């Protein structure tokens, strides 16, 4: 704790505990599972305590070199308020970056998790 402020990583863990969301913490990220009827995704959160930023990433799948996914990516990005689909090497992933503080962190996490649920069909189609 620096100058009476709680660490963002600690606040995220507190949020997960209060919402009864199981998570896994390692040295560089906090991951959790979002399960739907027929598939699951595994978002992970990277925290930069220095500039109070959070990056949420979801690996979707590997892309075949012959596969053209740019139209699907563009379509998804038009619909998504928070996450942006990107192609990183041969991995299709969703990414969201934001600055946070102790006052808005819970609202941001609620919005992000809700957004994943709203976009579940679009995520499956990626």
């Amino acid at each position: 704790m620096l100058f009476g402020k709680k660490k963002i990583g600690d606040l995220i863990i507190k949020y997960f505990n209060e919402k009864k969301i199981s998570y896994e913490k390692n040295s560089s990220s906090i991951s959790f599972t979002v399960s739907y009827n027929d598939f699951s995704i595994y978002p992970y959160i990277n925290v930069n305590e220095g500039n109070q930023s959070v990056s949420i990433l979801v690996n979707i799948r590997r892309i075949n070199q012959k596969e053209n996914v740019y139209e699907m990516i563009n379509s998804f990005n038009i619909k998504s308020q928070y996450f942006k689909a990107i192609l990183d090497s041969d991995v299709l992933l969703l990414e969201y970056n934001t600055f946070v503080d102790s006052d808005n962190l819970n609202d941001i996490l609620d919005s992000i998790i809700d957004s994943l649920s709203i976009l579940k069909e679009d995520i499956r189609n990626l």
Side-chain angles (χ1 to χ4, degrees), residues 1-114:
M1 199 167 1
L2 183 65
F3 304 108
K5 286 185 148 184
K6 287 192 173 188
K7 288 186 174 183
I8 303 222
D10 293 339
L11 293 172
I12 292 171
I13 289 171
K14 180 181 176 190
Y15 171 88
F16 284 152
N17 287 333
E18 288 173 355
K19 298 284 185 173
K20 297 182 179 13
I21 297 172
S22 59
Y23 63 90
E24 187 174 313
K25 183 179 186 315
N26 64 40
S27 62
S28 62
S29 66
I30 302 167
S31 60
F32 61 104
T33 303
V34 179
S35 296
Y36 305 110
N37 291 335
D38 56 344
F39 73 102
S40 297
I41 56 175
Y42 307 93
Y44 56 98
I45 302 170
N46 294 323
V47 177
N48 183 327
E49 297 286 350
N51 68 3
Q52 290 191 295
S53 67
V54 171
S55 295
I56 301 171
L57 301 163
V58 184
N59 293 333
I60 301 297
R61 64 183 174 100
R62 288 209 181 283
I63 299 299
N64 181 332
Q65 288 181 343
K66 297 177 185 176
E67 187 177 359
N68 185 351
V69 295
Y70 297 109
E71 189 174 317
M72 290 186 310
I73 289 172
N74 287 337
S75 176
F76 179 88
N77 288 343
I78 289 168
K79 293 178 185 178
S80 177
Q81 180 179 2
Y82 297 102
F83 286 95
K84 294 299 170 203
I86 59 173
L87 195 55
D88 186 8
S89 298
D90 64 344
V91 176
L92 178 62
L93 58 94
L94 305 181
E95 179 179 47
Y96 176 67
N97 299 298
T98 188
F99 293 102
V100 296
D101 60 38
S102 58
D103 295 333
N104 70 359
L105 180 64
N106 286 359
D107 292 335
I108 289 172
L109 291 172
D110 284 341
S111 296
I112 295 304
I113 293 171
D114 289 346

